[in-house]
Amino acid sequence: MTEKNILAYFNTPEQAQSVAAKLQGLKVEHMSIDRFSRYAGEGSNDPILTSTMSSLASVTQDGTFTKDAGVLAAADVTASGMSDGGGGGPTGKDILLTVVVDESSHHEALAIIEQSGGFI
């Protein structure tokens, strides 16, 4: 049995979850929904005054980064507050639906994703 993989991008997790529900009727081997950004690490909701500040980016971009990613994120124009960013990066479609389907269901899965507004 041959498998095919699909990477589809969406604007919201709800859009991806809706498509995932539609794909359940097909021969799905694996499916996951993830959010990604241009920097490694996860966001933080800790108040600045009570948490340790690991990098400038942890304060200005509200994130927890590894040391290397923190240096990179702090060098971004969004960290200084002196720019609107304008550097591109993931905008809008930052939700990734990863699907592995049986080859016999591949074209049908692609059609469902595209009809639902997914970007392949």
Side-chain angles (χ1 to χ4, degrees):
M1 181 161 66
T2 305
E3 299 171 343
K4 294 278 193 167
N5 65 324
I6 302 170
L7 300 176
Y9 302 88
F10 294 89
N11 292 355
T12 66
E14 293 78 21
Q15 285 177 317
Q17 290 165 354
S18 172
V19 172
K22 292 176 186 176
L23 294 174
Q24 288 296 340
L26 303 178
K27 297 177 183 176
V28 174
E29 301 295 324
H30 172 77
M31 189 167 9
S32 67
I33 299 172
D34 300 291
R35 181 180 298 270
F36 65 92
S37 82
R38 60 182 160 177
Y39 302 117
E42 296 185 22
S44 170
N45 292 325
D46 294 336
I48 295 170
L49 297 176
T50 61
S51 67
T52 59
M53 184 174 115
S54 59
S55 71
L56 174 64
S58 69
V59 176
T60 59
Q61 297 175 16
D62 193 27
T64 304
F65 301 100
T66 63
K67 182 178 179 183
D68 294 337
V71 171
L72 179 63
D76 192 272
V77 295
T78 58
S80 71
M82 299 299 289
S83 171
D84 67 351
T91 56
K93 295 191 183 305
D94 62 344
I95 305 298
L96 175 64
L97 171 65
T98 304
V99 185
V100 179
V101 296
D102 184 80
E103 187 174 29
S104 64
S105 302
H106 185 247
H107 291 292
E108 188 177 354
L110 289 173
I112 291 170
I113 292 167
E114 288 176 341
Q115 291 168 2
S116 300
F119 178 75
I120 299 173

